[in-house]
Amino acid sequence: MTKNLFAIVIGGTGMLERVCHFLAEEGYDVYVVHRNKNKFQAMQGRCLFPHKLYSISVDYHDEAALQKKIQEAIQLKGGYPDLIVSWIHNSAPHALPTILKVVIERKKPWKLIHVQGSSSFFVKENTTVPDNCEYRRVYLGFVLENRISRWLTHEEIASGVIKVIKHDYRETVIGTLKPWSKRPS
């Protein structure tokens, strides 16, 4: 019997909800880091495979609690994640390194899809990952329509991240970042 694939998604009850549903449809056991149990239950209820979605209820600003909850998920699953999809606001810069400290013990190759805001494209911070991590970076841009700009919808974001997962793009911009002066205010 083969082991089910294991994914952790941070941001899965918001703009990455459709990514969680896609991963569940692809056979992953998806552990969703969230702060609001009601939002998790609602997104789980909209999934074709709700039994493939698992709750990690924690505020990722609390590093110790986050580390403990990720360790518990790994113990419950009986192994390390094959994929992590991370959308973490800039207000919690230590959340992703905290998670990476926990999964560093994984010996086999695994993937990290790091979703970042548009301004991160120009900073190009150096995310340190283990050697066996296949790091993928996704920048969220904006949309220009008839000389009017708007931010991406959750569906556009999720579709772009799913495309990265399917096609294994190393670095992707969803929408556009040019001209930067036209971004929505």
Side-chain angles (χ1 to χ4, degrees):
M1 183 170 156
T2 51
K3 179 184 117 169
N4 288 346
L5 294 169
F6 173 16
I8 295 175
V9 179
I10 302 104
T13 59
M15 66 185 199
L16 297 179
E17 175 178 337
R18 179 65 193 108
V19 173
C20 293
H21 294 177
F22 165 77
L23 291 171
E25 292 163 13
E26 292 294 306
Y28 281 84
D29 288 334
V30 184
Y31 286 71
V32 183
V33 175
H34 64 88
R35 292 181 287 196
N36 184 312
K37 191 77 166 173
N38 292 332
K39 280 181 76 174
F40 173 78
Q41 289 171 339
M43 70 84 65
Q44 188 180 36
R46 290 186 288 270
C47 185
L48 294 175
F49 299 94
H51 63 283
K52 302 290 284 174
L53 301 177
Y54 300 86
S55 169
I56 299 179
S57 185
V58 64
D59 183 346
Y60 60 63
H61 292 89
D62 182 341
E63 292 175 50
L66 176 62
Q67 185 171 355
K68 181 178 183 228
K69 291 285 189 165
I70 297 296
Q71 287 170 330
E72 288 172 358
I74 289 168
Q75 287 173 347
L76 185 64
K77 182 63 181 151
Y80 292 93
D82 302 289
L83 172 67
I84 295 177
V85 181
S86 173
W87 164 246
I88 298 173
H89 293 275
N90 291 339
S91 63
H94 299 292
L96 186 55
T98 297
I99 293 169
L100 293 176
K101 276 190 249 174
V102 177
V103 299
I104 199 162
E105 297 299 319
R106 181 181 168 97
K107 301 298 182 220
K108 294 180 183 175
W110 62 283
K111 279 195 177 115
L112 169 61
I113 312 287
H114 191 183
V115 181
Q116 298 178 289
S118 55
S119 61
S120 296
F121 180 79
F122 301 101
V123 176
K124 299 280 191 190
E125 103 293 332
N126 187 15
T127 302
T128 304
V129 297
D131 290 339
N132 63 339
C133 175
E134 298 173 16
Y135 182 75
R136 307 297 182 247
R137 192 183 310 252
V138 177
Y139 296 104
L140 303 179
F142 54 92
V143 176
L144 276 173
E145 297 174 321
N146 301 321
R147 295 185 300 191
I148 297 172
S149 65
R150 65 170 175 79
W151 294 116
L152 298 163
T153 65
H154 285 194
E155 184 57 38
E156 290 166 334
I157 292 166
S159 293
V161 172
I162 290 168
K163 187 184 255 185
V164 168
I165 293 168
K166 285 181 174 180
H167 300 287
D168 198 28
Y169 299 134
R170 292 190 183 280
E171 184 172 287
T172 302
V173 175
I174 302 172
T176 188
L177 295 172
K178 297 176 183 175
W180 184 246
S181 62
K182 298 286 187 187
R183 73 190 180 283
S185 50

